[in-house]
């Protein structure tokens, strides 16, 4: 089986001249979906042989029978060919974007699990993850079950965390990719808001009471206590 749009490994057919005369007007061709090359030339001397190489080049999924034809001045011979085309591997992710809840600066969030699936018809190799964007320092990937190969119809997971480096909004992109040729990478937008921790302040910073006779109580004075941070 060969992925549609790719070329299989070659297989060879040997053409032999078992007679005492020279074979002339040699020609070789294949049906659609196959390609051939050879070192036979247009003539093959007595008791000599040459090789014909055939590769499978499917353009669509499914079984694709074909023929290799070899002709000379005397006759035409055919070799039956068969191959199966596969849909190429394809990446998909769930969720398609991750928005994290507000998080204190310097504290990592609970991980969000991103599921990576191979929705194509053939395996892919080496699923990888790369963070890109202005706020990459505020995001990170954690444990993953993605290994050297992701079979078609299978999925794996990776943990994504938000660990804000600064206050305010942060955004980045996690790019999911494969080393298999032809697999399109998938971008996953990431976003979150960093909060400063809670911070106490008081006003006024000092209270001065008037003189009060023993046994009496002064008038009340108020102190305003404020949380000047963005966290509770």
């Amino acid at each position: 089986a060969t992925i549609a749009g790719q070329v299989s490994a070659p297989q060879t057919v040997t053409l032999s001249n078992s007679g005492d005369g020279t074979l002339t007007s040699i020609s070789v061709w294949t049906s659609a979906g196959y390609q051939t090359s050879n070192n036979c030339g247009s003539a093959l001397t007595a008791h000599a042989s040459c090789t014909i190489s055939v590769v499978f080049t499917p353009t669509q999924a499914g079984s694709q029978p074909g023929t290799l034809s070899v002709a000379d001045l005397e006759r035409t011979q055919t070799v039956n060919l068969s191959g199966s085309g596969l849909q190429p591997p394809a990446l998909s992710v769930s969720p398609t974007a991750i928005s994290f809840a507000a998080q204190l600066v310097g504290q990592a969030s609970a991980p969000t699990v991103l599921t990576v699936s191979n929705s194509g018809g053939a395996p892919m190799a080496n699923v990888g993850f790369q963070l890109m964007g202005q706020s990459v320092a505020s995001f990170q990937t954690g444990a993953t079950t993605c290994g050297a190969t992701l079979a078609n119809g299978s999925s794996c997971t990776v943990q994504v965390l938000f660990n804000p480096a600064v206050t305010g909004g942060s955004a980045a992109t996690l790019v999911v990719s494969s080393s298999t040729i032809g697999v399109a990478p998938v971008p996953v937008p990431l976003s979150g808001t960093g909060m400063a921790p809670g911070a106490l302040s008081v006003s006024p910073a000092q209270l001065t009471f008037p003189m009060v006779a023993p046994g009496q109580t002064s008038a009340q004075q108020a102190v305003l206590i404020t949380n000047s941070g963005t966290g509770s």
Side-chain angles (χ1 to χ4, degrees), residues 31-34 56 62-68 79-85:
S31 55
Y34 298 86
F56 180 40
S63 177
Q64 297 182 41
T67 56
L68 166 69
V79 177
N80 291 327
L81 307 174
S82 63
S84 180

Side-chain angles (χ1 to χ4, degrees), residues 1 17 21 35 56 65 89 98 109 139 155 186 194 224:
N17 181 0
Q35 295 178 3
F56 180 40
I98 301 176
S109 68
F139 300 90
S155 61
V186 178
L224 180 64

